[in-house]
Amino acid sequence: MHIPKSITTELAVMEFDRALEKALTPGQEYDIDRWLFVPPMYDEYRYILGTRGENPLICIGINPSTARPGDLDNTLKSVERIALGNGYDSFIMFNVYAQRATRPEDMEQQCNALLHQENMKAFAYVLDLYGKGHRPAVWAAWGTIIEKRPYLAHCLSDMIKIGQEKGARWFSCGNRSKKGHPHHPLYLRKDAVPEPFDAGAYLESLLKS
């Protein structure tokens, strides 16, 4: 379990570009040809964790927990299984907010604007992994946890805008909640299939609630 040691404004948050440069530098404690882990160390926040491939499924949760290369938690194991089971050759785990906290109740009360800004740079980078002419596949998978903090909906709004610019296709797996929240990966069937998800309509409803 990861319990935040402090609010992230008290940390020296590494900018995404610098964190990515470090992550792509040989000599890490994991195989950089297999894993993308940004920043490349266990810290109070995480931008990206995933495997490398030409056709990744980008899964969007709310915030990171304890997973790291070679030591995936049950949620990430489910994400990888569903990605590979649906014809993707890899997965990327991304989050609406980058602060690590196993329990959503431990997330900070206020959004750290700098951390969010750098997280959005990371999201744009992840979408660009597909290259020109290919539309990124983005799996909405945050469940009802998005209701835990008011700022999360606004963070998601920025993500959807970036996704529109990059031509992202949104999906969800499994039944949605009564309020339309996409299903969390942890309790999905092994043979779950991604279905189209109208992220714009969902966000509009979320902001009204």
Side-chain angles (χ1 to χ4, degrees):
M1 176 176 290
H2 188 96
I3 300 175
K5 296 178 181 178
S6 67
I7 58 175
T8 59
T9 52
E10 295 177 353
L11 305 174
V13 172
M14 188 182 301
E15 294 182 355
F16 172 69
D17 289 344
R18 182 173 170 230
L20 177 62
E21 182 180 1
K22 286 181 172 291
L24 299 179
T25 301
Q28 305 297 343
E29 296 180 355
Y30 57 89
D31 184 356
I32 65 170
D33 292 324
R34 168 167 166 71
W35 295 96
L36 182 60
F37 183 41
V38 189
M41 73 286 289
Y42 191 91
D43 211 329
E44 291 294 309
Y45 58 94
R46 188 188 76 212
Y47 298 127
I48 303 169
L49 172 59
T51 53
R52 293 187 175 276
E54 296 181 358
N55 183 35
L57 178 60
I58 303 167
C59 181
I60 310 297
I62 286 298
N63 69 306
S65 182
T66 60
R68 67 182 88 186
D71 187 16
L72 301 182
D73 56 26
N74 289 335
T75 295
L76 271 290
K77 290 177 182 177
S78 180
V79 169
E80 183 173 40
R81 181 175 61 248
I82 290 171
L84 297 180
N86 282 281
Y88 297 92
D89 64 2
S90 54
F91 78 94
I92 296 289
M93 188 69 213
F94 198 81
N95 291 279
V96 175
Y97 197 63
Q99 183 192 27
R100 278 190 193 268
T102 300
R103 299 178 303 196
E105 293 79 8
D106 291 333
M107 292 178 66
E108 52 199 2
Q109 296 292 328
Q110 303 296 324
C111 176
N112 179 342
L114 174 61
L115 183 63
H116 172 60
Q117 170 188 295
E118 297 307 312
N119 200 42
M120 292 303 96
K121 290 180 182 178
F123 187 52
Y125 171 82
V126 165
L127 297 182
D128 282 340
L129 290 176
Y130 278 80
K132 294 182 179 179
H134 299 278
R135 298 183 62 193
V138 182
W139 171 15
W142 48 78
T144 61
I145 303 173
I146 199 165
E147 297 182 4
K148 291 294 183 180
R149 296 288 184 268
Y151 60 79
L152 293 172
H154 298 285
C155 293
L156 177 61
S157 177
D158 289 342
M159 292 183 67
I160 291 175
K161 290 177 183 176
I162 294 171
Q164 289 173 338
E165 295 171 359
K166 304 289 186 179
R169 299 169 294 149
W170 287 82
F171 301 93
S172 67
C173 288
N175 296 328
R176 298 168 194 165
S177 73
K178 292 182 179 179
K179 293 185 179 180
H181 299 309
H183 204 294
H184 192 279
L186 188 56
Y187 303 109
L188 285 173
R189 290 171 53 95
K190 294 181 180 180
D191 58 353
V193 176
E195 300 177 350
F197 178 70
D198 190 336
Y202 166 79
L203 178 64
E204 185 177 348
S205 176
L206 182 64
L207 292 174
K208 288 180 179 178
S209 63

